[in-house]
Structures are given as structure tokens and as C-alpha cells.
Amino acid sequence: GAARPWICRNFEFPLLVLLPDLRQARDFIADAEALGYEGSCISLEEIPLRESQPLDALKAQRGDVLRQWRDKRNILVATPGALMAPLSLGGDELSFTCGEELGRDRLVEWLAGKGYERVELVWSAGQFALRGSIIDVFDPKDSNPIRVEFFDDSVESLRYFSPGSQRSLRSLNHGLFRSISTRRRALLNDFFPSDLHVLFFNPKDIEGAAENIEWLRTGLETESHEEEWQDWESISRNLSLFPRIRPRR
């Protein structure tokens, strides 16, 4: 319950909280928010094992989450599957401001050429939608999509919006989109700060979950599977270099 995030309340260094499964990871985030720690925890998502090719947008999103965690030096909540899955960083950027003559067609062409999927309604990272003078874009680095409204070729307004309700959340003066298709593969240990501490909840269950994922992944691999996941043994070896805390619960 809430005792888990309560343990982390006074940590003054970057912390990796490792839990056996997604349910426990999501419960940890929800309990942390209930205790008023909203913004101090960030969650690393898994990639579905059934994907023969991991989604580029999800790999990009995972890379951006780790970069933000490294920069903010707060709490990262993850599972073995989240640590083992591929991720990416880098890529081209498109930066612009309100009032700039960006061009609606130019933005559409850039998004389509950089790995974004065109859809009727944006609901997931890596998608964009075009409706008249409005372009909705869900950059993997953002928690919510951005609505870009044009007047002729000029950017008239920029705002975050909720994909569920379609309601505006916050106006922006500056927009930045990152390419998905031109990113490079990144390694997990590249993001570990030198003063990282690791907190294991239920270590035996964590090891069991990692073994299950490796067994399932081996069975699903095909010759077309170009991207290898990181093995749990190497991850454990890297984590062993940092101070480790193992509460019973």
C-alpha cells in the first residue's frame, strides 16, 4: 500500500524503485500521488512481448522518460520488463513559436517523414491528425498531445489538450517535436547517475518475473526480430554497482 512510497519520501538522490509487475508499479504511482508526491515519481512503461517489432514511438517515449528522470534526479518506478525492453534517443527536432510562418503542409510533411502515424483522432504517442487548419501531434516526450492551429501559414495558437475529452489544458508559446524514425538505440546503463540508489520490493518475485519474460521472449523471437532486448543478467550486474535497499514489503 502507501507504505511503499512513504519509504521513499526523504531520499535525496536519484532512486530506482523496482517492482515485480505493472499492477504493483501503477499502485505505487497512485499511492505516491495520494500522499502528495505527484511529480516526484516517473514510470517507465513496458513494450508488449507480442510485438515482433517494438513500436518506434514507444521506444522513443521510454528513452525520453529515462532522460527526464536522469535530469530531474527523482524516482523512477519500473518492472523487470520495463528495464529489459529496447529504447531510443536523439533524432531530428523541429522547433517553432506562435506567430511563426511554419506552414501547415510543411509540418504534415515533416511529421510523416519522421515516423509519426497519421490517424483520424490522436490518442497515443507517435500519432498526428489533420483537420482543416488544425494539426494534433502526440510527441512521445510529452504527457499530452499538442494542438497546432494555423492561420494561413502562420502558427496562430499552441496548446496541450486531453485526448480523452479533447479539452485544452495549457497554452504554449513554443513548440518542439522530435523525430521518431531517426533516433538511435540507447542502453539502459547510459542513464544511471553515479549516485543512484536502487530499492527492490519483493526481490524473489522480481527475479521470477525477469526469468518469465526472458523465457517468453525467447519463444517469440524470429529471424525478423532485429532489436534485441537487454538480458536480465547484465542489468542485474550493472545495478549491483549501486547501493541497494531490499525491504521485505
Side-chain angles (χ1 to χ4, degrees):
R4 286 179 167 180
W6 180 257
I7 293 173
C8 307
R9 68 192 184 282
N10 293 324
F11 278 61
E12 298 179 353
F13 34 73
L15 180 64
L16 169 61
V17 173
L18 197 55
L19 294 150
D21 54 57
L22 279 176
R23 180 189 60 79
Q24 294 186 50
R26 289 166 179 162
D27 286 347
F28 185 99
I29 294 292
D31 290 337
E33 292 176 353
L35 290 172
Y37 303 156
E38 187 173 1
S40 65
C41 298
I42 189 167
S43 177
L44 184 64
E45 291 297 316
E46 297 182 356
I47 286 180
L49 282 170
R50 290 188 178 88
E51 295 291 342
S52 60
Q53 283 288 339
L55 299 177
D56 287 341
L58 188 49
K59 291 188 294 182
Q61 186 178 50
R62 287 164 39 77
D64 285 325
V65 164
L66 284 167
R67 179 184 52 80
Q68 292 171 23
W69 167 65
R70 181 189 60 195
D71 294 344
K72 291 182 179 180
R73 296 172 55 80
N74 53 6
I75 300 171
L76 178 70
V77 181
T79 64
L83 296 185
M84 296 162 69
L87 51 100
S88 63
L89 271 181
D92 306 333
E93 295 182 351
L94 180 64
S95 177
F96 55 95
T97 59
C98 278
E100 181 177 336
E101 289 193 5
L102 174 63
R104 188 201 71 164
D105 293 343
R106 179 194 167 200
L107 178 56
V108 169
E109 182 179 358
W110 189 91
L111 293 167
K114 299 302 180 180
Y116 285 80
E117 177 191 6
R118 184 168 177 174
V119 295
E120 292 296 321
L121 188 66
V122 164
W123 60 272
S124 182
Q127 297 178 336
F128 79 96
L130 171 64
R131 299 190 313 280
S133 62
I134 294 175
I135 302 178
D136 293 340
V137 184
F138 204 151
D139 189 308
K141 71 176 176 12
D142 296 322
S143 300
N144 289 288
I146 291 178
R147 180 158 290 160
V148 186
E149 189 166 359
F150 286 88
F151 181 76
D152 290 334
D153 283 337
S154 297
V155 177
E156 186 175 40
S157 69
L158 281 170
R159 55 190 182 274
Y160 283 116
F161 70 95
S162 167
S165 66
Q166 294 293 302
R167 292 182 178 178
S168 297
L169 300 174
R170 179 165 61 91
S171 296
L172 302 166
N173 294 318
H174 175 264
L176 174 67
F177 298 136
R178 290 198 175 105
S179 170
I180 295 173
S181 59
T182 61
R183 290 185 170 223
R184 59 176 174 79
R185 184 187 178 192
L187 297 177
L188 180 67
N189 58 303
D190 293 337
F191 296 92
F192 290 160
S194 59
D195 57 345
L196 172 67
H197 285 57
V198 184
L199 179 57
F200 276 62
F201 285 108
N202 300 332
K204 290 183 179 180
D205 291 343
I206 289 171
E207 293 293 333
E211 290 176 4
N212 287 338
I213 290 169
E214 290 194 322
W215 180 79
L216 289 169
R217 183 171 57 83
T218 301
L220 291 171
E221 282 185 344
T222 65
E223 293 181 359
S224 63
H225 194 108
E226 299 176 0
E227 197 121 24
E228 292 187 1
W229 290 36
Q230 296 187 60
D231 65 275
W232 181 247
E233 183 179 352
S234 64
I235 292 173
S236 296
R237 187 164 55 248
N238 289 329
L239 291 179
S240 69
L241 302 175
F242 302 99
R244 184 176 301 187
I245 306 165
R246 297 190 182 188
R248 293 182 179 178
R249 292 190 177 272

